[in-house]
Amino acid sequence: MLLELFNKPVGFFLLAMAIILITPLLSERLRLPGIIGIIIGGMLIGPHGFGLMADGDRIEFLATIGLVYLMFSAGLEVDINQFMRVRTRALVFGIITFTFPQLMGMGLGYILGLDLLGMILLGSAFASHTLIAFPILTKLGVTRNEAIAVTIGATVLTDIGAFIVLAVVLGAKSGGGFTFGYFAQLLIMLAIFTAVIIFGLPRLGKFIFQKLTGRAVEFQFVIVVLFVSAFLAELIGVHEVVGAFLAGLAVNSMLPRHSPVTGHVLFIGESFFIPVFLLYSGLITDPLTFLKSPQTIIVAIGVTIVAYVSKLLAAWVTAKIYKYTKSEFWTVYGLSHAQAAVTIPTLVIGLETGLFDSTLFNAAILMILLTSITSPLIVQRFAPDLQIVEEDDKPLPLFGRVLVPVSEQKQSEGLITLAILLAHTSHGKVLAVSVAKDLGPNKDSSLYSHKDLLGRVTESLNDPETEIELIPRMAASHAQGILHTAQEKNATRIVMGWRGKRTLRENVLGSVLDEVIWGSDTPVLIGKLELPLNSMQKVVFIVPAKTVPPIILRRMLQANIILAKALNVPLVIRADSSYMQTFEALLATANSDHSIEIEVLKDHLKPENLEHESISSFLVLPGFGSRKRVVDTLGNIPEQLAKSFDGNLAVLHFDK
């Protein structure tokens, strides 16, 4: 009776969610990765365990979606900027740590009697690696160590290489073998498909995001992009995971790295679909197969030896080439020998296509479990001895505590979204304050309405990964409430909205912006945000002559670099020729791996010069001066530009 209930939709979903919830918690109590618990949970409830869940179409359908999500998230995690910073050494280690396991895996496949396609696919299953132990390095604060950066960069190469091998093998499998004509046709189609996804989708996405409004519609667009890419990959004769991985790379360059949109997409995948895929991997694994014959034990030993020895040799050779310390060598090895993210899909696909038998699949799953256990243990043992970057080398937390005054929902959503992206760069938090005037008998109801406004704004963003503190405040004036909150909460930056023009009353009496800038020692960024931040293609920092003293130019440059990184777009500096030498010197010492260009600002900055500026550019102007209006250093240029430019415009104000 109980088994029948678990085979019905409600019982099936209940059992799956219970395993996904409980087993990672138990696994982490034993200091093991959560994926281990889910896979073992699948083994226990599957047909080779207690038989509570069958290997049927229902779980296979959900697991396929999870596989697509898993490969999409792998593409999203590729940090191109990190790779470019250590690209030469990462390329060397990537080639070594891909080639050794690939060749040794092919040798094992030959011994096991696999055909050529099976040998190549088995080699690619060992060639990639998964950074399961990376959170340990983050907690220890050693991620900027060169050996760690090289290992992370090599992960990009091994993952891409494994997917290329997977695409070629599956294409040859469906096409009847490695004939020259089919092989050439497949590579051409794959190259065209890759170019369309990598270069075409980001441009299409930026255009679409200018037209779309609403987080739900943006979320749906990303989902459509993901599954269109996977579907097109199947049409050209390769597996859908190739399209999903490329879609991840495309979305990675299309949206800010910590965009709430991608966060929502990944949240669904990481909380349900990907765990279901891991559950399915355990479901189809027979843990008792090793007791059935000596051959299965021999295969398991062979697979495990190849996984450990091939990665050990690759790490040892690289450590010798670049003279890494003993701790660096063992940390690199511990970080790079775990197999999971790409290996599991490769094994499942190999089993489904008949290139692998169940004995090899079961042996490889055991290897994944072992490497997922030993990887964190080795990293935990040797990583604390790594040379830690000095505090002076770390970026200043310019956006560690970003204060955003909230006045109306529509404008405030854009400001808080910008604040969230900036706060992520410093692992900081957002302070959302709404000020009610402490005047009259209705002040209690006024304060309640401001609390309600804060709740509605943050609820519409619905970003569980961001720490947002809601601060309803009562004060004699809006400016006073903002200034007192900034001081009490130790804000490092104030982000405020701007209409781009001044009313007659503001010209006579001054505005809240003026009062905040006059009275604040905290840097202020005021923004007129007309377009979604997801549609931005570059940040343009405009520095006219005699507007920024050299003493604060470095901090302004750093703030603009952080802004460009947060939006995941290049930074273009357009400065008067008098600043060229200073900017070149600052960039030489900035040690930034972000894309930065310097251009001479021709003629004087005039609104008509922006007629040909792309509306997808985020323009930033400098503001400076103690107890001065924000426009005093630039005259009325910001207001003139705001009239003529329909895109996003900001003034970045620093005091001495």
Side-chain angles (χ1 to χ4, degrees):
M1 181 65 178
L2 184 61
L3 295 179
E4 292 179 2
L5 289 176
F6 281 136
N7 285 323
K8 292 183 177 181
V10 173
F12 170 84
F13 190 80
L14 170 62
L15 182 59
M17 288 305 300
I19 295 296
I20 291 171
L21 172 65
I22 296 171
T23 55
L25 298 176
L26 296 176
S27 182
E28 289 167 3
R29 289 289 297 270
L30 299 174
R31 297 184 179 181
L32 298 176
I35 65 170
I36 301 298
I38 298 177
I39 293 175
I40 293 177
M43 292 180 184
L44 293 175
I45 67 171
H48 305 293
F50 295 109
L52 299 178
M53 183 178 289
D55 174 18
D57 294 339
R58 183 187 297 155
I59 185 68
E60 188 174 348
F61 167 76
L62 294 175
T64 301
I65 304 300
L67 175 59
V68 170
Y69 257 107
L70 181 62
M71 295 303 97
F72 177 68
S73 63
L76 279 179
E77 289 301 317
V78 173
D79 191 340
I80 299 299
N81 291 328
Q82 173 91 339
F83 172 74
M84 293 302 294
R85 184 166 64 88
V86 291
R87 56 185 176 274
T88 302
R89 296 193 172 195
L91 178 63
V92 171
F93 181 47
I95 292 174
I96 294 174
T97 198
F98 182 89
T99 304
F100 282 18
Q102 178 72 45
L103 295 178
M104 291 184 66
M106 291 177 64
L108 177 64
Y110 177 79
I111 294 173
L112 296 177
L114 301 181
D115 60 16
L116 179 60
L117 293 179
M119 291 165 51
I120 296 174
L121 188 63
L122 180 60
S124 72
F126 294 108
S128 65
H129 55 259
T130 304
L131 303 177
I132 287 177
F134 187 74
I136 297 174
L137 302 174
T138 302
K139 291 180 181 178
L140 294 174
V142 296
T143 56
R144 289 171 62 86
N145 178 278
E146 183 197 283
I148 303 304
V150 167
T151 307
I152 296 170
T155 306
V156 178
L157 296 172
T158 59
D159 285 355
I160 293 175
F163 277 112
I164 291 174
V165 172
L166 179 64
V168 172
V169 168
L170 293 179
K173 174 72 174 175
S174 61
F178 276 114
T179 64
F180 177 79
Y182 181 80
F183 186 71
Q185 178 185 355
L186 177 65
L187 287 183
I188 292 173
M189 294 182 67
L190 187 59
I192 295 173
F193 174 68
T194 302
V196 169
I197 298 297
I198 297 297
F199 300 108
L201 271 184
R203 288 177 170 81
L204 174 64
K206 295 293 186 183
F207 174 78
I208 293 295
F209 284 130
Q210 288 182 11
K211 309 298 180 183
L212 296 179
T213 56
R215 202 56 60 76
V217 178
E218 294 174 343
F219 167 82
Q220 291 159 1
F221 173 75
V222 173
I223 292 292
V224 170
V225 163
L226 166 58
F227 285 95
V228 164
S229 301
F231 182 72
L232 291 178
E234 288 186 310
L235 286 182
I236 68 171
V238 297
H239 201 275
E240 62 262 19
V241 297
V242 178
F245 181 75
L246 293 175
L249 293 177
V251 173
N252 194 350
S253 62
M254 181 196 310
L255 295 175
R257 188 163 182 81
H258 298 285
S259 169
V261 177
T262 54
H264 294 159
V265 174
L266 287 178
F267 178 76
I268 291 179
E270 293 174 353
S271 60
F272 180 66
F273 287 112
I274 294 176
V276 167
F277 170 72
L278 298 173
L279 181 68
Y280 174 73
S281 300
L283 205 70
I284 60 178
T285 302
D286 184 2
L288 300 179
T289 188
F290 307 106
L291 305 178
K292 296 178 180 178
S293 69
Q295 181 184 1
T296 57
I297 299 177
I298 294 173
V299 172
I301 293 174
V303 168
T304 304
I305 289 175
V306 169
Y308 279 103
V309 174
S310 62
K311 291 294 184 180
L312 180 65
L313 288 175
W316 181 80
V317 170
T318 304
K320 288 296 183 183
I321 294 174
Y322 296 120
K323 297 180 173 56
Y324 289 152
T325 65
K326 176 183 176 182
S327 295
E328 288 175 327
F329 156 62
W330 282 108
T331 302
V332 168
Y333 171 61
L335 194 61
S336 63
H337 80 264
Q339 305 287 334
V342 182
T343 307
I344 294 175
T346 302
L347 294 173
V348 173
I349 293 169
L351 182 65
E352 292 174 347
T353 56
L355 293 174
F356 301 157
D357 59 21
S358 59
T359 298
L360 178 57
F361 176 83
N362 292 326
I365 290 293
L366 175 64
M367 174 270 294
I368 290 172
L369 296 176
L370 291 175
T371 58
S372 297
I373 293 171
T374 56
S375 174
L377 293 177
I378 294 175
V379 170
Q380 186 69 57
R381 165 63 180 83
F382 292 98
D385 298 329
L386 295 183
Q387 181 179 0
I388 300 176
V389 178
E390 298 297 328
E391 289 294 324
D392 292 342
D393 295 333
K394 294 182 179 180
L396 295 175
L398 294 179
F399 299 98
R401 300 175 68 82
V402 185
L403 179 68
V404 183
V406 174
S407 57
E408 58 183 58
Q409 183 168 350
K410 185 176 180 181
Q411 183 188 47
S412 298
E413 285 180 3
L415 291 173
I416 291 183
T417 299
L418 177 60
I420 288 172
L421 296 175
L422 293 172
H424 270 299
T425 63
S426 301
H427 304 289
K429 67 185 297 185
V430 175
L431 309 169
V433 59
S434 185
V435 180
K437 285 191 176 182
D438 187 10
L439 298 173
N442 296 324
K443 58 183 181 181
D444 290 339
S445 61
S446 176
L447 184 62
Y448 176 81
S449 65
H450 283 264
K451 289 180 180 179
D452 180 63
L453 173 62
L454 286 171
R456 283 187 280 112
V457 170
T458 53
E459 182 181 357
S460 66
L461 295 174
N462 192 23
D463 184 9
E465 294 187 358
T466 303
E467 184 180 358
I468 303 179
E469 182 178 349
L470 306 182
I471 309 171
R473 182 75 186 236
M474 187 164 287
S477 69
H478 292 295
Q480 187 182 90
I482 294 169
L483 291 171
H484 287 177
T485 304
Q487 186 175 16
E488 292 168 6
K489 296 295 183 179
N490 195 25
T492 59
R493 178 79 55 177
I494 300 175
V495 176
M496 299 182 66
W498 176 43
R499 291 192 302 270
K501 60 183 179 180
R502 297 174 65 87
T503 65
L504 177 62
R505 175 181 173 82
E506 288 172 346
N507 282 325
V508 175
L509 301 177
S511 67
V512 175
L513 282 176
D514 292 332
E515 293 182 53
V516 171
I517 293 172
W518 291 346
S520 175
D521 294 327
T522 304
V524 181
L525 186 151
I526 62 172
K528 183 177 78 78
L529 305 181
E530 301 291 336
L531 297 175
L533 296 173
N534 291 337
S535 67
M536 296 297 97
Q537 295 185 3
K538 60 184 175 182
V539 171
V540 181
F541 181 34
I542 301 175
V543 189
K546 300 179 181 179
T547 54
V548 184
I551 191 173
I552 64 169
L553 195 60
R554 180 185 65 84
R555 288 193 292 162
M556 282 206 169
L557 174 62
Q558 186 180 24
N560 276 276
I561 292 175
I562 292 174
L563 175 62
K565 283 185 175 181
L567 297 178
N568 196 23
V569 296
L571 171 63
V572 178
I573 302 171
R574 290 187 187 151
D576 184 78
S577 57
S578 60
Y579 288 108
M580 285 295 104
Q581 188 173 357
T582 305
F583 269 119
E584 290 173 358
L586 289 174
L587 290 175
T589 58
N591 193 28
S592 174
D593 52 11
H594 198 73
S595 174
I596 304 174
E597 299 178 13
I598 307 179
E599 301 174 358
V600 176
L601 182 63
K602 298 179 181 179
D603 302 323
H604 293 289
L605 181 61
K606 297 179 181 179
E608 55 266 26
N609 294 340
L610 294 179
E611 291 180 358
H612 303 294
E613 183 64 66
S614 170
I615 197 172
S616 58
S617 297
F618 193 120
L619 303 187
V620 181
L621 294 169
F624 168 74
S626 177
R627 299 191 63 82
K628 293 182 180 179
R629 279 176 41 192
V630 70
V631 295
D632 281 349
T633 55
L634 295 170
N636 62 351
I637 287 178
E639 292 165 10
Q640 292 180 11
L641 294 183
K643 283 183 183 178
S644 59
F645 184 62
D646 295 328
N648 292 339
L649 177 65
V651 178
L652 183 61
H653 180 90
F654 274 87
D655 203 342
K656 277 186 178 180

